[in-house]
Coordinates of all heavy atoms in Angstrom, one line a residue:
M1 N 42.6 7.9 54.8 CA 42.1 7.2 53.6 C 41.3 6.0 54.1 O 41.6 5.4 55.1 CB 43.2 6.8 52.7 CG 42.7 6.8 51.2 SD 44.1 6.4 50.2 CE 44.3 4.7 50.5
A2 N 40.3 5.6 53.3 CA 39.4 4.5 53.7 C 38.8 3.9 52.5 O 38.8 4.5 51.4 CB 38.4 4.9 54.7
Y3 N 38.3 2.7 52.6 CA 37.5 2.1 51.6 C 36.0 2.5 51.8 O 35.6 2.9 53.0 CB 37.7 0.6 51.6 CG 38.9 0.2 50.7 CD1 40.1 0.6 51.1 CD2 38.7 -0.5 49.6 CE1 41.3 0.3 50.4 CE2 39.9 -0.8 48.8 CZ 41.1 -0.4 49.2 OH 42.2 -0.7 48.4
V4 N 35.2 2.5 50.7 CA 33.8 3.0 50.8 C 32.9 2.0 50.1 O 33.3 1.4 49.0 CB 33.8 4.3 50.0 CG1 32.4 4.8 49.8 CG2 34.6 5.4 50.8
I5 N 31.7 1.8 50.6 CA 30.8 0.9 50.0 C 29.8 1.8 49.2 O 29.2 2.7 49.8 CB 30.0 0.0 51.0 CG1 31.0 -0.9 51.8 CG2 28.9 -0.8 50.3 CD1 30.4 -1.8 52.8
A6 N 29.6 1.5 48.0 CA 28.7 2.3 47.1 C 27.4 1.6 46.7 O 27.1 0.6 47.2 CB 29.6 2.7 45.8
E7 N 26.8 2.2 45.7 CA 25.4 1.8 45.4 C 25.1 0.4 45.1 O 24.0 -0.1 45.5 CB 25.0 2.7 44.2 CG 23.5 2.8 43.9 CD 23.0 1.7 43.0 OE1 23.8 1.1 42.3 OE2 21.8 1.4 43.0
P8 N 26.0 -0.4 44.5 CA 25.6 -1.8 44.2 C 25.3 -2.6 45.4 O 24.7 -3.7 45.3 CB 26.9 -2.4 43.5 CG 27.5 -1.2 42.9 CD 27.3 -0.1 43.9
C9 N 25.8 -2.2 46.6 CA 25.4 -2.9 47.8 C 24.0 -2.8 48.2 O 23.4 -3.7 48.9 CB 26.3 -2.5 49.0 SG 26.0 -3.3 50.5
V10 N 23.3 -1.7 47.8 CA 22.0 -1.5 48.3 C 21.1 -2.6 47.9 O 21.0 -3.0 46.7 CB 21.4 -0.1 47.6 CG1 20.0 0.1 48.1 CG2 22.3 1.0 48.1
A11 N 20.4 -3.2 48.9 CA 19.5 -4.3 48.7 C 20.2 -5.6 48.3 O 19.5 -6.6 48.1 CB 18.4 -4.0 47.7
T12 N 21.5 -5.6 48.3 CA 22.3 -6.8 48.0 C 22.8 -7.4 49.3 O 22.4 -8.4 49.8 CB 23.5 -6.6 47.1 OG1 23.0 -6.0 45.9 CG2 24.2 -7.9 46.8
C13 N 23.7 -6.6 50.0 CA 24.1 -6.8 51.4 C 24.4 -8.3 51.6 O 23.9 -8.9 52.6 CB 23.0 -6.4 52.3 SG 22.7 -4.7 52.4
D14 N 25.2 -8.9 50.8 CA 25.4 -10.4 51.0 C 26.4 -10.7 52.2 O 26.6 -11.8 52.5 CB 25.8 -11.1 49.8 CG 27.3 -11.0 49.5 OD1 28.0 -10.2 50.1 OD2 27.7 -11.8 48.6
T15 N 27.0 -9.7 52.8 CA 27.8 -9.7 54.0 C 29.2 -10.4 53.8 O 29.9 -10.7 54.8 CB 27.1 -10.4 55.2 OG1 27.0 -11.8 55.0 CG2 25.7 -9.8 55.4
A16 N 29.6 -10.8 52.6 CA 30.9 -11.4 52.4 C 32.0 -10.5 52.9 O 33.0 -11.0 53.4 CB 31.1 -11.7 50.9
C17 N 31.8 -9.2 52.7 CA 32.9 -8.3 53.1 C 33.1 -8.3 54.6 O 34.2 -8.2 55.1 CB 32.6 -6.9 52.6 SG 31.0 -6.3 53.2
V18 N 32.0 -8.5 55.4 CA 32.0 -8.4 56.8 C 33.0 -9.5 57.4 O 33.8 -9.3 58.3 CB 30.6 -8.6 57.4 CG1 30.7 -8.6 58.9 CG2 29.7 -7.4 57.0
K19 N 32.9 -10.7 56.7 CA 33.6 -11.8 57.3 C 35.1 -11.7 57.1 O 35.9 -12.3 57.8 CB 33.1 -13.1 56.5 CG 31.7 -13.4 56.9 CD 31.2 -14.6 56.1 CE 29.7 -14.8 56.4 NZ 29.0 -15.1 55.1
V20 N 35.6 -10.9 56.1 CA 37.0 -10.8 55.9 C 37.6 -9.6 56.5 O 38.9 -9.5 56.5 CB 37.3 -10.9 54.4 CG1 36.8 -12.2 53.8 CG2 36.7 -9.7 53.6
C21 N 36.9 -8.7 57.0 CA 37.5 -7.4 57.5 C 38.2 -7.7 58.8 O 37.6 -8.2 59.8 CB 36.4 -6.4 57.8 SG 37.1 -4.9 58.4
P22 N 39.5 -7.5 58.9 CA 40.3 -7.8 60.0 C 40.1 -6.9 61.2 O 40.5 -7.2 62.4 CB 41.8 -7.7 59.6 CG 41.7 -6.7 58.4 CD 40.4 -6.9 57.8
V23 N 39.4 -5.7 61.0 CA 39.2 -4.8 62.1 C 37.7 -4.6 62.4 O 37.3 -3.7 63.2 CB 39.9 -3.5 61.9 CG1 41.4 -3.6 61.9 CG2 39.4 -2.8 60.6
D24 N 36.8 -5.4 61.8 CA 35.4 -5.4 62.1 C 34.8 -4.0 62.0 O 34.1 -3.5 62.9 CB 35.1 -6.0 63.5 CG 33.7 -6.3 63.7 OD1 32.9 -6.5 62.7 OD2 33.2 -6.2 64.9
C25 N 35.1 -3.4 60.8 CA 34.6 -2.0 60.7 C 33.5 -1.8 59.7 O 33.2 -0.7 59.2 CB 35.8 -1.0 60.4 SG 36.5 -1.2 58.7
I26 N 32.9 -2.9 59.3 CA 31.8 -2.9 58.3 C 30.5 -3.2 59.0 O 30.3 -4.3 59.6 CB 32.0 -3.9 57.1 CG1 33.3 -3.6 56.5 CG2 30.8 -3.8 56.1 CD1 33.7 -4.6 55.4
H27 N 29.6 -2.2 59.0 CA 28.3 -2.4 59.8 C 27.2 -1.8 59.0 O 27.4 -1.0 58.0 CB 28.4 -1.6 61.1 CG 29.5 -2.2 62.0 ND1 29.4 -3.3 62.7 CD2 30.8 -1.8 62.1 CE1 30.6 -3.6 63.3 NE2 31.4 -2.6 63.0
G28 N 25.9 -2.0 59.4 CA 24.8 -1.5 58.8 C 23.6 -1.5 59.7 O 23.7 -1.8 60.9
P29 N 22.4 -1.1 59.2 CA 21.3 -1.0 60.1 C 20.7 -2.4 60.6 O 20.0 -2.4 61.6 CB 20.2 -0.3 59.2 CG 20.7 -0.4 57.8 CD 22.2 -0.6 57.9
M30 N 21.1 -3.4 59.9 CA 20.8 -4.8 60.3 C 22.1 -5.5 60.6 O 23.1 -5.3 59.9 CB 20.0 -5.5 59.2 CG 18.6 -5.1 59.1 SD 17.8 -6.0 57.7 CE 17.5 -7.6 58.5
K31 N 22.0 -6.4 61.6 CA 23.2 -7.3 61.9 C 23.4 -8.3 60.7 O 22.5 -8.8 60.2 CB 23.0 -8.0 63.2 CG 23.0 -7.1 64.4 CD 23.0 -8.0 65.6 CE 23.1 -7.1 66.8 NZ 22.3 -7.4 68.0
P32 N 24.7 -8.5 60.4 CA 25.0 -9.5 59.3 C 24.3 -10.9 59.6 O 23.8 -11.5 58.6 CB 26.5 -9.7 59.4 CG 27.0 -8.4 59.9 CD 25.9 -7.9 60.9
E33 N 24.2 -11.3 60.8 CA 23.5 -12.6 61.1 C 22.1 -12.5 60.7 O 21.5 -13.5 60.3 CB 23.6 -12.9 62.6 CG 25.0 -12.8 63.2 CD 25.3 -11.4 63.7 OE1 24.8 -11.0 64.8 OE2 26.0 -10.7 63.0
E34 N 21.4 -11.4 60.9 CA 20.0 -11.2 60.5 C 19.9 -11.3 59.0 O 19.0 -11.8 58.4 CB 19.5 -9.9 61.0 CG 19.4 -9.8 62.5 CD 19.0 -8.4 63.0 OE1 19.6 -7.4 62.6 OE2 18.1 -8.4 63.9
I35 N 20.8 -10.6 58.3 CA 20.8 -10.6 56.8 C 21.0 -12.0 56.2 O 20.3 -12.4 55.3 CB 21.8 -9.6 56.3 CG1 21.5 -8.2 56.7 CG2 21.9 -9.7 54.7 CD1 22.6 -7.2 56.4
E36 N 21.9 -12.7 56.8 CA 22.2 -14.0 56.3 C 21.0 -15.0 56.4 O 20.9 -15.9 55.6 CB 23.3 -14.7 57.1 CG 24.7 -14.2 56.6 CD 25.8 -14.8 57.4 OE1 25.7 -15.9 57.8 OE2 26.8 -14.1 57.6
F37 N 20.1 -14.7 57.3 CA 18.9 -15.5 57.5 C 17.9 -15.3 56.4 O 17.0 -16.1 56.2 CB 18.3 -15.1 58.8 CG 17.6 -16.2 59.5 CD1 18.3 -17.4 59.9 CD2 16.2 -16.1 59.8 CE1 17.6 -18.4 60.5 CE2 15.6 -17.2 60.4 CZ 16.2 -18.3 60.7
I38 N 18.0 -14.2 55.6 CA 17.0 -13.8 54.6 C 17.5 -14.5 53.3 O 18.6 -14.3 52.8 CB 16.9 -12.3 54.4 CG1 16.6 -11.6 55.7 CG2 15.9 -12.0 53.3 CD1 16.7 -10.1 55.6
P39 N 16.6 -15.3 52.6 CA 17.0 -16.0 51.4 C 17.3 -14.9 50.3 O 16.7 -13.9 50.3 CB 15.7 -16.7 51.0 CG 14.9 -16.9 52.2 CD 15.3 -15.7 53.1
P40 N 18.4 -15.2 49.5 CA 18.8 -14.2 48.5 C 17.7 -13.6 47.6 O 17.7 -12.4 47.3 CB 19.8 -15.0 47.7 CG 20.4 -16.0 48.6 CD 19.2 -16.4 49.5
E41 N 16.7 -14.5 47.3 CA 15.7 -14.0 46.4 C 14.7 -13.0 47.1 O 14.0 -12.3 46.5 CB 14.9 -15.2 45.8 CG 14.1 -16.0 46.8 CD 15.0 -17.2 47.4 OE1 16.2 -17.1 47.3 OE2 14.4 -18.1 48.0
E42 N 14.7 -13.0 48.4 CA 13.8 -12.1 49.2 C 14.5 -10.8 49.5 O 13.9 -9.9 50.0 CB 13.3 -12.8 50.4 CG 12.4 -14.0 50.2 CD 11.9 -14.6 51.4 OE1 12.0 -14.0 52.5 OE2 11.5 -15.8 51.4
R43 N 15.9 -10.8 49.3 CA 16.6 -9.6 49.8 C 16.2 -8.3 49.1 O 16.1 -7.3 49.7 CB 18.1 -9.9 49.7 CG 18.5 -10.9 50.8 CD 20.0 -11.1 50.8 NE 20.2 -12.3 51.6 CZ 21.4 -12.8 51.9 NH1 22.5 -12.3 51.3 NH2 21.6 -13.8 52.7
P44 N 16.0 -8.3 47.8 CA 15.7 -7.0 47.1 C 14.5 -6.3 47.8 O 14.4 -5.1 47.9 CB 15.4 -7.4 45.7 CG 16.3 -8.6 45.5 CD 16.2 -9.4 46.8
A45 N 13.5 -7.1 48.2 CA 12.3 -6.6 48.8 C 12.5 -6.3 50.3 O 12.2 -5.1 50.8 CB 11.1 -7.5 48.7
K46 N 13.1 -7.2 51.0 CA 13.3 -7.0 52.4 C 14.4 -6.0 52.8 O 14.4 -5.5 53.9 CB 13.5 -8.4 53.1 CG 12.3 -9.2 53.0 CD 12.3 -10.4 54.0 CE 11.0 -11.1 54.1 NZ 11.0 -12.4 54.6
L47 N 15.4 -5.9 51.9 CA 16.5 -5.0 52.2 C 16.4 -3.7 51.4 O 17.4 -3.0 51.2 CB 17.8 -5.7 51.9 CG 18.1 -6.9 52.8 CD1 19.4 -7.6 52.4 CD2 18.1 -6.6 54.3
R48 N 15.2 -3.4 50.9 CA 15.1 -2.2 50.0 C 15.7 -1.0 50.7 O 15.3 -0.6 51.8 CB 13.6 -1.9 49.8 CG 13.3 -1.0 48.6 CD 11.8 -0.7 48.5 NE 11.0 -1.9 48.4 CZ 10.7 -2.5 47.2 NH1 11.1 -1.9 46.1 NH2 10.0 -3.5 47.2
G49 N 16.6 -0.3 50.0 CA 17.2 0.9 50.5 C 18.3 0.7 51.5 O 19.0 1.6 51.9
L50 N 18.5 -0.6 51.9 CA 19.6 -0.8 52.9 C 20.9 -1.2 52.3 O 21.0 -1.8 51.2 CB 19.1 -1.9 53.9 CG 17.9 -1.7 54.7 CD1 17.8 -2.9 55.7 CD2 18.0 -0.4 55.5
Q51 N 22.0 -0.8 53.0 CA 23.3 -1.2 52.6 C 24.2 -1.3 53.8 O 23.7 -0.9 54.9 CB 23.9 -0.2 51.6 CG 24.3 1.1 52.2 CD 25.3 1.9 51.3 OE1 24.9 2.8 50.6 NE2 26.6 1.6 51.5
L52 N 25.4 -1.8 53.6 CA 26.3 -1.8 54.7 C 27.3 -0.6 54.5 O 27.4 -0.1 53.4 CB 27.1 -3.1 54.9 CG 26.2 -4.3 55.1 CD1 27.1 -5.5 55.5 CD2 25.2 -4.1 56.2
Y53 N 28.0 -0.2 55.5 CA 28.9 0.9 55.5 C 30.3 0.6 56.1 O 30.3 -0.2 57.0 CB 28.3 2.1 56.2 CG 26.9 2.4 55.8 CD1 25.8 1.9 56.5 CD2 26.7 3.3 54.7 CE1 24.5 2.2 56.1 CE2 25.4 3.6 54.3 CZ 24.3 3.0 55.0 OH 23.0 3.3 54.6
I54 N 31.3 1.3 55.7 CA 32.7 1.1 56.3 C 33.0 2.4 57.1 O 32.8 3.5 56.7 CB 33.7 1.0 55.2 CG1 33.5 -0.3 54.4 CG2 35.1 1.1 55.7 CD1 34.3 -0.5 53.2
D55 N 33.4 2.1 58.4 CA 33.8 3.2 59.3 C 35.1 3.7 58.8 O 36.2 3.0 58.9 CB 33.9 2.6 60.7 CG 34.3 3.7 61.7 OD1 34.7 4.8 61.3 OD2 34.1 3.4 62.9
P56 N 35.1 5.0 58.3 CA 36.4 5.5 57.8 C 37.5 5.7 58.8 O 38.7 5.8 58.4 CB 35.9 6.9 57.2 CG 34.7 7.2 58.0 CD 34.0 5.9 58.3
E57 N 37.1 5.8 60.1 CA 38.2 6.0 61.1 C 38.8 4.7 61.5 O 39.9 4.6 62.1 CB 37.6 6.8 62.2 CG 37.4 8.2 61.9 CD 37.1 9.1 63.1 OE1 37.2 8.6 64.2 OE2 36.7 10.2 62.9
A58 N 38.1 3.6 61.3 CA 38.6 2.3 61.7 C 39.3 1.5 60.5 O 40.1 0.6 60.8 CB 37.5 1.4 62.3
C59 N 38.9 1.8 59.3 CA 39.4 1.0 58.1 C 40.9 1.2 58.0 O 41.4 2.3 58.0 CB 38.6 1.5 56.9 SG 39.3 0.8 55.3
I60 N 41.6 0.1 57.8 CA 43.0 0.1 57.6 C 43.4 -0.1 56.2 O 44.6 -0.3 55.9 CB 43.7 -1.0 58.5 CG1 43.2 -2.4 58.2 CG2 43.5 -0.7 60.0 CD1 44.1 -3.5 58.8
C61 N 42.5 0.0 55.3 CA 42.7 0.0 53.8 C 43.5 -1.3 53.4 O 44.4 -1.2 52.6 CB 43.5 1.2 53.4 SG 42.6 2.7 53.6
C62 N 43.1 -2.4 53.9 CA 43.8 -3.7 53.5 C 43.2 -4.2 52.2 O 43.9 -5.1 51.6 CB 43.6 -4.7 54.6 SG 41.9 -5.3 54.7
A63 N 42.1 -3.8 51.8 CA 41.5 -4.2 50.5 C 40.9 -5.6 50.5 O 40.4 -6.1 49.5 CB 42.4 -4.0 49.3
A64 N 40.9 -6.3 51.6 CA 40.3 -7.6 51.7 C 38.8 -7.6 51.3 O 38.4 -8.5 50.5 CB 40.5 -8.2 53.1
C65 N 38.1 -6.6 51.7 CA 36.7 -6.6 51.4 C 36.4 -6.4 49.9 O 35.5 -6.9 49.4 CB 36.0 -5.5 52.2 SG 36.7 -3.9 52.0
E66 N 37.2 -5.5 49.3 CA 37.0 -5.2 47.9 C 37.0 -6.4 47.1 O 36.2 -6.6 46.1 CB 38.1 -4.2 47.5 CG 38.0 -3.8 46.0 CD 39.2 -3.0 45.6 OE1 40.3 -3.2 46.1 OE2 39.0 -2.1 44.7
R67 N 37.9 -7.4 47.4 CA 38.1 -8.6 46.6 C 36.9 -9.5 46.8 O 36.6 -10.3 45.9 CB 39.4 -9.3 47.0 CG 40.6 -8.6 46.5 CD 41.8 -9.4 46.7 NE 42.2 -9.6 48.2 CZ 43.0 -8.8 48.8 NH1 43.6 -7.8 48.2 NH2 43.2 -9.1 50.1
E68 N 36.2 -9.5 47.9 CA 35.2 -10.4 48.3 C 33.8 -10.0 47.7 O 32.9 -10.9 47.5 CB 35.0 -10.5 49.8 CG 36.2 -11.3 50.4 CD 36.3 -12.7 49.9 OE1 35.3 -13.4 49.9 OE2 37.4 -13.1 49.6
C69 N 33.6 -8.7 47.5 CA 32.2 -8.3 47.2 C 31.8 -8.8 45.8 O 32.5 -8.5 44.8 CB 32.2 -6.7 47.2 SG 30.5 -6.1 46.7
P70 N 30.7 -9.5 45.7 CA 30.3 -10.1 44.4 C 29.7 -9.1 43.5 O 29.6 -9.4 42.3 CB 29.2 -11.2 44.9 CG 28.7 -10.6 46.1 CD 29.8 -9.9 46.8
V71 N 29.4 -8.0 43.9 CA 28.8 -7.0 43.0 C 29.7 -5.7 42.8 O 29.2 -4.7 42.3 CB 27.4 -6.5 43.5 CG1 26.4 -7.7 43.4 CG2 27.4 -6.0 45.0
E72 N 30.9 -5.9 43.3 CA 31.9 -4.8 43.1 C 31.4 -3.4 43.6 O 31.4 -2.4 42.9 CB 32.3 -4.7 41.6 CG 33.0 -5.9 41.1 CD 33.5 -5.9 39.7 OE1 33.7 -4.8 39.2 OE2 33.6 -7.0 39.1
A73 N 31.0 -3.5 44.8 CA 30.4 -2.3 45.5 C 31.5 -1.5 46.3 O 31.2 -0.4 46.7 CB 29.3 -2.6 46.4
I74 N 32.7 -2.1 46.5 CA 33.6 -1.5 47.4 C 34.8 -0.9 46.6 O 35.4 -1.5 45.8 CB 34.1 -2.5 48.4 CG1 32.9 -3.2 49.1 CG2 35.1 -1.8 49.4 CD1 33.3 -4.2 50.1
F75 N 35.1 0.4 47.0 CA 36.2 1.1 46.3 C 37.1 1.8 47.3 O 36.6 2.2 48.4 CB 35.6 2.2 45.4 CG 34.7 1.6 44.3 CD1 33.4 1.4 44.6 CD2 35.2 1.4 43.1 CE1 32.6 0.9 43.6 CE2 34.4 0.9 42.1 CZ 33.1 0.7 42.3
D76 N 38.4 1.9 47.0 CA 39.2 2.9 47.7 C 38.6 4.3 47.5 O 38.1 4.6 46.4 CB 40.6 2.9 47.0 CG 41.6 3.8 47.7 OD1 41.3 5.0 47.9 OD2 42.7 3.3 48.0
E77 N 38.5 5.1 48.5 CA 37.8 6.4 48.4 C 38.4 7.2 47.2 O 37.7 8.0 46.7 CB 37.9 7.1 49.7 CG 39.2 7.6 50.1 CD 39.2 8.4 51.4 OE1 38.3 8.2 52.3 OE2 40.0 9.3 51.6
D78 N 39.7 7.0 46.9 CA 40.2 7.8 45.8 C 39.9 7.3 44.4 O 40.2 7.9 43.4 CB 41.8 7.9 46.0 CG 42.2 8.7 47.2 OD1 41.4 9.6 47.6 OD2 43.3 8.4 47.7
D79 N 39.3 6.1 44.4 CA 39.0 5.4 43.1 C 37.5 5.3 42.9 O 37.0 4.6 42.0 CB 39.6 4.0 43.1 CG 41.1 4.1 43.1 OD1 41.7 5.1 42.6 OD2 41.7 3.1 43.6
L80 N 36.7 6.0 43.7 CA 35.2 5.9 43.5 C 34.8 6.5 42.2 O 35.3 7.5 41.8 CB 34.5 6.8 44.6 CG 34.2 6.1 45.9 CD1 33.9 7.2 47.0 CD2 33.1 5.1 45.8
P81 N 34.0 5.8 41.4 CA 33.5 6.3 40.2 C 32.8 7.7 40.5 O 32.2 7.8 41.6 CB 32.4 5.3 39.7 CG 32.9 4.0 40.4 CD 33.4 4.4 41.7
P82 N 32.9 8.7 39.6 CA 32.3 10.0 39.9 C 30.9 10.0 40.3 O 30.5 10.7 41.3 CB 32.5 10.7 38.6 CG 33.7 10.1 37.9 CD 33.6 8.6 38.3
A83 N 30.1 9.1 39.8 CA 28.6 9.0 40.1 C 28.4 8.6 41.5 O 27.3 8.8 42.1 CB 27.9 8.1 39.1
W84 N 29.4 7.9 42.2 CA 29.2 7.4 43.5 C 30.1 8.1 44.5 O 30.3 7.6 45.6 CB 29.5 5.9 43.5 CG 28.5 5.1 42.7 CD1 27.2 5.5 42.4 CD2 28.7 3.8 42.1 NE1 26.6 4.5 41.6 CE2 27.5 3.5 41.5 CE3 29.8 2.9 42.1 CZ2 27.4 2.3 40.8 CZ3 29.6 1.7 41.5 CH2 28.4 1.4 40.8
E85 N 30.7 9.2 44.2 CA 31.6 9.9 45.1 C 30.9 10.3 46.4 O 31.5 10.4 47.5 CB 32.2 11.1 44.4 CG 33.5 10.8 43.7 CD 34.2 11.9 43.0 OE1 33.8 13.1 43.3 OE2 35.1 11.7 42.3
H86 N 29.6 10.6 46.3 CA 28.9 11.0 47.5 C 28.8 9.8 48.5 O 28.4 10.0 49.7 CB 27.5 11.5 47.2 CG 26.6 10.6 46.4 ND1 26.9 10.1 45.2 CD2 25.4 10.0 46.8 CE1 25.9 9.3 44.8 NE2 25.0 9.3 45.7
Y87 N 29.1 8.6 48.1 CA 29.0 7.5 49.1 C 30.1 7.6 50.1 O 30.0 7.0 51.2 CB 29.0 6.1 48.3 CG 27.7 5.7 47.9 CD1 27.2 6.2 46.6 CD2 26.8 4.9 48.6 CE1 25.9 5.9 46.2 CE2 25.6 4.6 48.2 CZ 25.1 5.1 47.0 OH 23.8 4.8 46.6
K88 N 31.1 8.3 49.9 CA 32.1 8.5 50.9 C 31.5 9.2 52.1 O 31.6 8.8 53.3 CB 33.3 9.4 50.4 CG 34.4 9.7 51.3 CD 35.5 10.5 50.7 CE 36.4 11.0 51.7 NZ 37.4 11.9 51.2
E89 N 30.7 10.2 51.8 CA 30.0 11.0 52.9 C 28.9 10.1 53.5 O 28.7 10.1 54.7 CB 29.3 12.2 52.3 CG 28.4 13.0 53.1 CD 29.0 13.6 54.3 OE1 30.2 13.9 54.2 OE2 28.3 13.9 55.3
I90 N 28.2 9.3 52.7 CA 27.1 8.5 53.2 C 27.7 7.4 54.2 O 27.1 7.2 55.2 CB 26.4 7.8 52.0 CG1 25.6 8.8 51.2 CG2 25.5 6.6 52.5 CD1 25.0 8.3 49.9
N91 N 28.8 6.8 53.8 CA 29.4 5.8 54.7 C 29.8 6.5 56.0 O 29.5 6.0 57.1 CB 30.7 5.2 54.1 CG 30.3 4.0 53.1 OD1 30.7 2.9 53.3 ND2 29.6 4.3 52.1
A92 N 30.5 7.6 56.0 CA 31.0 8.3 57.2 C 29.8 8.7 58.1 O 29.9 8.6 59.3 CB 31.8 9.5 56.8
R93 N 28.7 9.2 57.4 CA 27.6 9.7 58.2 C 26.9 8.6 59.0 O 26.4 8.8 60.1 CB 26.5 10.3 57.2 CG 25.6 11.3 57.9 CD 24.5 11.7 56.9 NE 25.0 12.1 55.6 CZ 24.4 11.9 54.5 NH1 23.2 11.2 54.4 NH2 24.9 12.3 53.3
F94 N 27.0 7.3 58.5 CA 26.4 6.2 59.3 C 27.0 6.1 60.7 O 26.4 5.8 61.6 CB 26.5 4.9 58.5 CG 25.9 3.7 59.3 CD1 24.5 3.6 59.3 CD2 26.7 2.9 60.0 CE1 23.9 2.5 60.0 CE2 26.1 1.8 60.7 CZ 24.7 1.6 60.7
F95 N 28.3 6.4 60.7 CA 29.0 6.3 62.0 C 29.1 7.7 62.7 O 29.9 7.9 63.6 CB 30.4 5.8 61.7 CG 30.4 4.4 61.1 CD1 30.5 4.3 59.7 CD2 30.3 3.3 61.9 CE1 30.5 3.0 59.1 CE2 30.2 2.0 61.3 CZ 30.3 1.9 59.9
Q96 N 28.4 8.7 62.1 CA 28.4 10.1 62.6 C 29.8 10.6 62.6 O 30.2 11.3 63.6 CB 27.8 10.1 64.0 CG 26.3 9.6 63.9 CD 25.6 9.7 65.3 OE1 26.2 9.6 66.3 NE2 24.3 10.0 65.2
R97 N 30.6 10.3 61.6 CA 31.9 10.9 61.5 C 31.9 12.2 60.8 O 31.1 12.4 59.9 CB 32.8 9.9 60.7 CG 32.9 8.5 61.2 CD 33.6 8.5 62.5 NE 33.9 7.1 63.0 CZ 34.0 6.7 64.2 NH1 33.8 7.6 65.2 NH2 34.3 5.5 64.5
Ligands
SF4_101 S1 29.7 -4.4 50.0 FE1 29.4 -6.2 48.7 S2 30.0 -7.9 50.0 FE2 29.7 -6.2 51.4 S3 27.6 -6.3 52.1 FE3 27.6 -5.0 50.3 S4 27.2 -6.4 48.5 FE4 27.9 -7.7 50.2
SF4_102 S1 39.7 -2.2 53.4 FE1 40.2 -3.8 55.0 S2 39.9 -2.7 56.9 FE2 38.9 -1.5 55.4 S3 36.8 -2.2 55.5 FE3 37.8 -3.4 53.9 S4 38.5 -5.3 54.9 FE4 38.0 -3.7 56.5

């Protein structure tokens, strides 16, 4: 079992989840330090289509990230809303799982 990042993260990517993950298993196509450098108002354009992902093999299901996400993008994989169930596969695919 693992936690999964779903659609609300796309183009938001505020990286709050990365800072609290005890096993450093949240990653994306851009480094969090690079994202933090982009002003929030410029993120929708500069991060279009981008999100962060949780490595399902490293996640220890502590739920720390879920509480931190300001846009409620993170779910236990068993609690994903039906419309976002495919994000389980999308997260795993980023790590080629
Ligand atoms: S999942 Fe939430 S806290 Fe984590 S990067 Fe995406 S928007 Fe930010
Ligand atoms: S549930 Fe815990 S271990 Fe899994 S990604 Fe979130 S903070 Fe990291």
Side-chain angles (χ1 to χ4, degrees):
M1 212 176 72
Y3 275 64
V4 170
I5 299 179
E7 198 270 340
C9 180
V10 176
T12 304
C13 296
D14 84 346
T15 73
C17 57
V18 175
K19 292 176 188 137
V20 299
C21 180
V23 293
D24 191 25
C25 69
I26 304 174
H27 300 279
M30 283 176 77
K31 291 189 174 138
E33 311 87 78
E34 294 173 313
I35 294 173
E36 279 178 35
F37 210 62
I38 303 171
E41 64 274 14
E42 293 179 19
R43 289 182 190 181
K46 292 197 170 162
L47 300 176
R48 192 185 306 272
L50 296 190
Q51 70 162 97
L52 299 191
Y53 308 94
I54 293 173
D55 183 341
E57 290 191 5
C59 175
I60 58 169
C61 297
C62 70
C65 57
E66 181 187 31
R67 292 188 289 269
E68 288 299 312
C69 180
V71 292
E72 297 182 24
I74 305 179
F75 299 85
D76 182 309
E77 67 178 30
D78 291 334
D79 296 330
L80 273 165
W84 295 336
E85 274 183 6
H86 59 296
Y87 276 85
K88 181 179 169 184
E89 170 69 23
I90 289 172
N91 278 240
R93 202 186 312 140
F94 180 78
F95 301 95
Q96 301 183 325
R97 304 293 190 208

